[in-house]
Amino acid sequence: MNTADLGLPVDVPSTALFTDQYELTMLQAALRGGTADRRSVFEVFTRRLPDGRRYGVVAGTGRVLDAVENFRFDAAVLGFLRERGIVDEPTLEWLASYRFSGDIWGYPEGEVYFPGSPILRVEGSFAECVLLETVILSILNHDSAIAAAASRMSAAAAGRPLIEMGARRTHELAAVASARAAYVGGFATTSDLAAGFRYGIPTVGTSAHAFTLLHDSERDAFRAQVDSLGRGTTLLVDTYDVAEAVRTAVDITGPELGAVRIDSGDLLLVAHRVRQQLDELGATKTKIVVTSDLDEYAIASLAAAPVDAYGVGTQLVTGSGHPTCSMVYKLVARAQSADPKAPLVPVAKKSSGGKTSIGGRKWAARRADADGVAEAEVVGTGPVPDGLADRQLLVELVKGGEVVAREPLDAARERHIAARAALPMSAIQLSRGEPVLPTEYA
């Protein structure tokens, strides 16, 4: 069962308090000042990619849609705000009936992005849009960071499957989101059952060292596992002596042994030795899975090793050194009055320190060369040039407050594979470098 399209609720009855207090104080001041109903356009973008990254990956869009649907101020939430004196009574009355009724456009989940890309565009009244800033950024910044790390790892794996196994290295709810983002970025399976239940991601798992240590001998442990799970199981062979464990494993299962897992030591050397030993013992089809603090660089270093799959934990769920994408949510246009027909006026932050923004409601397109390889990310505020009209990136996600673009998670995963493949080959290099595509402003 794939539950990605079922609109399952988030982990709390409401996402309304997944926000910063100043969103509510701005709302109160805008309501009192008469500007709350001005039509507004907010955009999510990042001014730069993490150091050394060649592209970013959009992930978390589906979770954003769930969060917007569940952004409700129920009696308990309103009671908390009243008790703390966070906003006044007129504001509480306004919040009691809050439902986002605007439009959201964005890069579809799994798409790649670059500095300045308008990853998400939120349109509606100032009041209803400003409240969504924090929850949108918290989801997109986290999930996109994990997906970018996953994408680099899957590129380094060059077709060998990757197992997400980081649940014990992060917050229990972040673990579920991380598994989802990793799947978008190219991982094949997860060890986290909550992620499997909620999002339909394939799950895997057999045993840890504790299971071997529980038994009087390694042979007893292997026998118990094989009797329970069958000869196609994966046996962990590095608790004591790897060579002896491999001999014991094949002696118990014969050539039908599914796989062995190596979790320590010089993985390149040990993998070669284990492959040779397995082949000599007739277990030529037994696969080798390696784990142990892998990242994209370690995976790339094992490209010549006889490894069939990689298990990744800590480095994945921490974004491989970059746990956030530094995305921001900025007002880029607003009407001059509350009149629905009032024209939009571009607005932008003008400040020193590299925190400027570009005003105007934006479109984005990816220009390709004659061979179909992407060559530039083009962002503009005026008419879309004829040559780019069929290469626009933003799609409608929410229309009039109703989600219109919920999709199975596999669609986002497949989209990412295609988007990455359309980039120049240098996109998957792990050496430091600038974004693989320049951002041009039309």
Side-chain angles (χ1 to χ4, degrees), residues 34-35 37-40 334-345:
T35 54
D37 290 331
R38 287 189 177 186
R39 191 158 55 100
S40 300
R334 52 88 174 167
Q336 292 180 313
S337 72
D339 183 346
K341 297 181 180 179
L344 289 172
V345 177

Side-chain angles (χ1 to χ4, degrees), residues 8-92:
L8 293 180
V10 291
D11 302 293
V12 293
S14 167
T15 52
L17 293 184
F18 290 171
T19 192
D20 289 301
Q21 183 167 321
Y22 79 172
E23 317 288 10
L24 299 186
T25 54
M26 282 192 288
L27 169 65
Q28 177 177 309
L31 288 170
R32 182 171 296 184
T35 54
D37 290 331
R38 287 189 177 186
R39 191 158 55 100
S40 300
V41 179
F42 286 82
E43 288 177 352
V44 174
F45 63 93
T46 185
R47 296 182 177 94
R48 64 192 66 83
L49 296 179
D51 187 35
R53 296 287 169 91
R54 304 296 182 91
Y55 61 92
V57 181
V58 178
T61 308
R63 295 208 309 121
V64 165
L65 299 180
D66 289 343
V68 171
E69 284 189 329
N70 285 278
F71 205 91
R72 304 284 187 268
F73 292 83
D74 57 24
V77 171
L78 293 170
F80 165 77
L81 297 175
R82 180 177 290 108
E83 178 185 346
R84 295 292 182 93
I86 292 172
V87 289
D88 60 19
E89 283 299 323
T91 305
L92 290 172

Side-chain angles (χ1 to χ4, degrees), residues 227-288:
D227 287 347
S228 174
L229 301 177
R231 296 186 178 190
T233 191
T234 299
L235 296 175
L236 182 58
V237 296
D238 72 328
T239 305
Y240 305 117
D241 178 84
V242 173
E244 181 61 30
V246 171
R247 279 192 292 273
T248 300
V250 177
D251 183 51
I252 291 172
T253 65
E256 294 82 16
L257 175 61
V260 296
R261 178 162 74 94
I262 306 167
D263 189 50
S264 59
D266 182 336
L267 297 179
L268 178 63
L269 176 62
V270 176
H272 276 288
R273 288 178 174 174
V274 168
R275 181 74 271 160
Q276 181 179 355
Q277 186 181 9
L278 287 169
D279 291 346
E280 290 172 351
L281 293 171
T284 57
K285 295 183 179 180
T286 299
K287 298 183 182 299
I288 296 175

Side-chain angles (χ1 to χ4, degrees), residues 391-413:
R391 299 191 66 84
Q392 294 188 70
L393 293 165
L394 279 78
V395 299
E396 194 169 32
L397 302 172
V398 176
K399 182 177 183 179
E402 298 295 326
V403 174
V404 296
R406 187 169 276 114
E407 62 182 4
L409 195 57
D410 281 334
R413 173 185 169 84

